[in-house]
Amino acid sequence: EPGECRVLCFSPRHDLSLGAMAVPDIRRVVELWADQTSELGVRHRWVQVFENRGAAMGASNPHPHGQIWAGTALPVTAARELASQGAHHAATGRQLLLDYAAQEAAGPRVVLETEAWLVVVPFWAAWPFETLLIAKRPAARLADVDDSARDELASVLSQHIGGYDRLLEAEFPYSMGWHQAP
């Protein structure tokens, strides 16, 4: 499988994580994710931004970092998501995730909601503490998220990840991934 893998260091400080970083610093990470995925998306069909934090999640280094994998093949899960969202759009003329966000808004599974973002425990959650972060405005890729929503995203990540850290009084181990349109 031809492709590329990049490692992105979020901070030169090894004692920080996204949950402990200042919101403007997280905002720079969001910008980097969008820029890198746009650059890689020109050459690759699938671009996946992710972070595995903590040894329990397979992170081999404690410093604050994430990865971007880009390749020509569409992973099985992404292909299934694309097909489901395409079928929903064909049947309704609407976007599945926006419909889901509207259905969940202000409901009992909402963890955090802003004007641009919804963090919800999806009804299909399989992992403890699993959440889904949904853009409430159409955005097929990170590059489609406007500046105002990127600012909010940085704040949401700070509140959400930092909230897990405060709840457990430790850096919460997690896997986070962005699923974008191919």
Side-chain angles (χ1 to χ4, degrees):
E1 171 69 24
E4 295 180 56
C5 177
R6 296 185 177 173
V7 175
L8 308 175
C9 292
F10 300 154
S11 170
R13 288 186 47 191
H14 289 257
D15 63 328
L16 288 181
S17 65
L18 280 180
M21 290 169 60
V23 172
D25 295 331
I26 298 170
R27 176 60 167 85
R28 283 191 287 280
V29 172
V30 170
E31 198 68 30
L32 186 59
W33 287 337
D35 291 347
Q36 292 288 300
T37 57
S38 291
E39 178 188 327
L40 290 165
V42 170
R43 297 185 303 278
H44 301 284
R45 183 173 185 210
W46 180 250
V47 181
Q48 175 73 55
V49 174
F50 68 96
E51 178 190 10
N52 292 325
R53 183 170 85 167
M57 300 312 291
S60 58
N61 292 305
H63 64 271
H65 73 286
Q67 296 183 52
I68 300 179
W69 288 357
T72 56
L74 193 58
V76 172
T77 301
R80 197 174 319 131
E81 290 171 352
L82 183 62
S84 295
Q85 292 182 43
H88 181 82
H89 190 268
T92 67
R94 296 185 314 272
Q95 293 184 11
L96 177 63
L97 288 176
L98 294 178
D99 281 357
Y100 181 63
Q103 176 183 319
E104 291 287 354
R109 288 186 287 268
V110 172
V111 175
L112 179 62
E113 185 170 4
T114 68
E115 182 180 327
W117 299 95
L118 179 71
V119 180
V120 62
V121 176
F123 65 83
W124 63 86
W127 296 96
F129 300 98
E130 181 175 346
T131 56
L132 177 66
L133 175 60
I134 305 170
K136 291 168 57 179
R137 291 179 278 223
R141 293 171 194 83
L142 283 166
D144 299 339
V145 175
D146 66 28
D147 283 335
S148 170
R150 289 181 190 194
D151 291 342
E152 277 190 39
L153 176 57
S155 178
V156 165
L157 289 170
S158 174
Q159 292 174 64
H160 189 53
I161 296 169
Y164 279 142
D165 293 349
R166 288 185 297 279
L167 174 68
L168 299 173
E169 298 177 350
E171 284 194 354
F172 180 72
Y174 64 81
S175 287
M176 172 179 64
W178 290 95
H179 288 208
Q180 306 180 84

